[in-house]
C-alpha cells in the first residue's frame, strides 16, 4: 500500500536518522529540502497512508521533522533583512 516513490520503511528510516541531527546543524538547503519532503508527505494523496503511519507510530517523529513555523520565520527574517538594505 505505501509503496512506489514513498517506500514506508525507507522514509521512516530516513526521518528517524534526520530527527537525530540538531535542526540548527542543517544547511539552509538541507532544511528546505526536508521541509519539501514533509510537505509532500502531508499533501500528496499517494503519501497519505504513509503520513498516517508516521503519525500513529510516533507523533514525535513527525513533529521533529515537520516544522513549518521555522521555514516561515526564515522567510520573514529574509524579508526584514531585505527591507533594511
Amino acid at each position: 500500500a505505501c509503496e512506489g516513490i514513498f517506500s514506508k520503511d525507507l522514509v521512516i528510516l530516513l526521518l528517524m536518522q534526520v530527527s537525530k541531527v540538531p535542526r540548527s546543524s542543517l544547511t539552509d538547503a538541507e532544511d528546505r529540502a526536508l521541509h519539501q519532503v514533509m510537505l509532500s508527505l502531508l499533501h500528496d494523496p499517494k503519501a497519505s497512508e504513509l503520513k498516517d503511519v508516521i503519525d500513529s507510530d510516533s507523533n514525535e517523529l513527525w513533529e521533529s521533522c515537520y516544522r513549518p513555523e521555522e521555514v516561515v520565520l526564515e522567510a520573514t527574517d529574509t524579508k526584514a533583512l531585505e527591507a533594511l538594505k
Side-chain angles (χ1 to χ4, degrees), residues 18 20-28 30-31:
V18 79
K20 295 176 186 177
V21 176
R23 196 68 175 250
S24 60
S25 69
L26 297 177
T27 65
D28 287 342
E30 291 167 337
D31 192 47

Side-chain angles (χ1 to χ4, degrees), residues 2 5 7-8 12-13 15 19-20 24 33 38 46 49-50 54 63 71 75 77 84:
C2 292
I5 61 171
S7 171
K8 176 188 163 215
I12 290 174
L13 177 65
L15 291 179
S19 70
K20 295 176 186 177
S24 60
M38 300 311 290
K46 295 176 186 172
E49 186 179 334
L50 176 55
I54 293 168
E63 294 298 320
V71 175
D77 288 346
L84 293 174

Side-chain angles (χ1 to χ4, degrees), residues 25-42:
S25 69
L26 297 177
T27 65
D28 287 342
E30 291 167 337
D31 192 47
R32 284 191 300 274
L34 176 59
H35 184 68
Q36 289 303 313
V37 167
M38 300 311 290
L39 285 177
S40 293
L41 290 172
L42 185 61

Side-chain angles (χ1 to χ4, degrees), residues 48-82:
S48 63
E49 186 179 334
L50 176 55
K51 197 260 183 209
D52 292 342
V53 168
I54 293 168
D55 262 348
S56 66
D57 281 351
S58 170
N59 194 40
E60 288 180 23
L61 180 58
W62 178 260
E63 294 298 320
S64 69
C65 294
Y66 181 64
R67 297 183 182 178
E69 66 281 352
E70 291 181 11
V71 175
V72 170
L73 181 60
E74 286 178 12
T76 303
D77 288 346
T78 302
K79 289 178 184 176
L81 289 174
E82 297 278 331

